[in-house]
Amino acid sequence: MPETLLKQRLAEELPPIGAALARATERLPEPVRPVARHILEAGGKRLRPFLTVLMARLLGDAGERIYDLAVTMEMLHAATLLHDDVLDDAASRRGKAAAHTSFGVTQAILAGDALLSGANAQVADFGDPRLCRCFSTATSETAAGEILEIAAQRRVDVSAEEYAAIVRGKTAALIAAACELGALAANAAPDAVRAAADYGENLGMAFQIVDDALDFAPAEETGKPTGGDVREGKLTPPLRFYRLNLAENERAAFDAAFVCGLMSAADAAEISLRVREGGFDRRAREEAQDYLEAARKALMRLPDGPERPVLMEMTDYVRDRRH
């Protein structure tokens, strides 16, 4: 990330966000703290709590308690990662051993439950039913998105509309909620709360589409194995474009291997190369542009202030992500 308003503001906000996460972890029951620390200290962009803080500041909240509210989004996100890694039997997360490989499957699942419950209690401490409703809705929509994704796994007939519903649930709902929480904490008018949520949802849709395009980038650029979605049977936009571009006999062979889960690491690497050469990853990024433009329009419905240029730069960051 170049030296921008976004990078400067992130550097300012990460320490208090980190301190709030540490406080939240200490409030959890002692037996689950090691697992919670393992997932929370593994890194991450802290995008969700950062957005909560920015949106609250833009709309007039100057208090320090916003950090304790903001990190509930990161706790919820961390809980989903713990559960996802068990479901996917993932060996690592952000360059570290996945929690379930270090602590056991049962402990990882229960720690995820504890993180979710702890976050819910922390939101309730603010005494505002609107915050509780926002948090619980985001939780249920995230779970629904994950269920839709599981149902779509290893299917070659997943439509663009189905994919959008998956992304709206598993990624965009949480980012929308992060922005909405900030607006609600600032007691913003209903129209501003709606605009904040719209900004977050569209940013989240674009974020996931770009993430799916990055899955086909060389591992040396992203630090992650190339073509993970191919092996896991996820027909994301780049892979859908690639499949539709195949000759009939090639498509039949692809479908057979994809549906049966027979894609090897070598197959995934070869397909990833062909996705890049065919420009199908760039085509997916172009789809993300429509959502980013919608996010910018939603942002312009909010009052001007020091945070608005930072939030605007966030759309450029999502557009240009390379890892």
Side-chain angles (χ1 to χ4, degrees), residues 3 5 19 44 76 80 89 91 118 123 129 135 146 199 212 277 292:
E3 191 65 35
L5 287 174
L76 172 52
T80 67
D89 195 23
V123 173
F135 183 88
E146 295 286 353
Y199 168 84
D212 291 339
E277 289 176 344
L292 291 174

Side-chain angles (χ1 to χ4, degrees), residues 149-165:
E149 184 173 55
I150 292 168
Q153 199 166 12
R154 307 206 184 288
R155 279 178 46 206
V156 294
D157 62 342
V158 177
S159 67
E161 292 74 20
E162 285 179 279
Y163 170 81

Side-chain angles (χ1 to χ4, degrees), residues 170-216:
K170 78 166 193 171
T171 301
L174 201 51
I175 295 177
C179 294
E180 186 175 347
L181 279 179
L184 290 170
N187 287 313
D191 286 350
V193 173
R194 182 68 261 163
D198 286 347
Y199 168 84
E201 178 172 319
N202 284 289
L203 188 76
M205 294 293 292
F207 186 93
Q208 186 60 55
I209 293 170
V210 171
D211 205 58
D212 291 339
L214 283 170
D215 187 66
F216 297 92

Side-chain angles (χ1 to χ4, degrees), residues 85-110:
D85 286 346
V86 171
L87 290 172
D88 297 339
D89 195 23
S92 63
R93 164 70 61 183
R94 295 169 181 157
K96 292 178 61 175
H100 68 94
T101 68
S102 297
F103 298 94
V105 169
T106 303
Q107 290 90 332
I109 291 173
L110 293 175

Side-chain angles (χ1 to χ4, degrees), residues 1-2 4 6 45 203 206-207 209-211 213-214 221-222 285-286 288-289 292 296 312-323:
M1 194 188 298
T4 61
L6 175 59
K45 300 174 181 66
L203 188 76
F207 186 93
I209 293 170
V210 171
D211 205 58
L214 283 170
E221 293 181 12
T222 64
R285 282 178 177 270
E286 289 166 5
Q289 285 282 36
L292 291 174
R296 295 182 190 108
M312 192 66 76
E313 279 188 23
M314 183 72 79
T315 65
D316 296 335
Y317 163 69
V318 169
R319 178 195 64 202
D320 298 334
R321 280 177 63 212
R322 287 293 179 267
H323 54 81

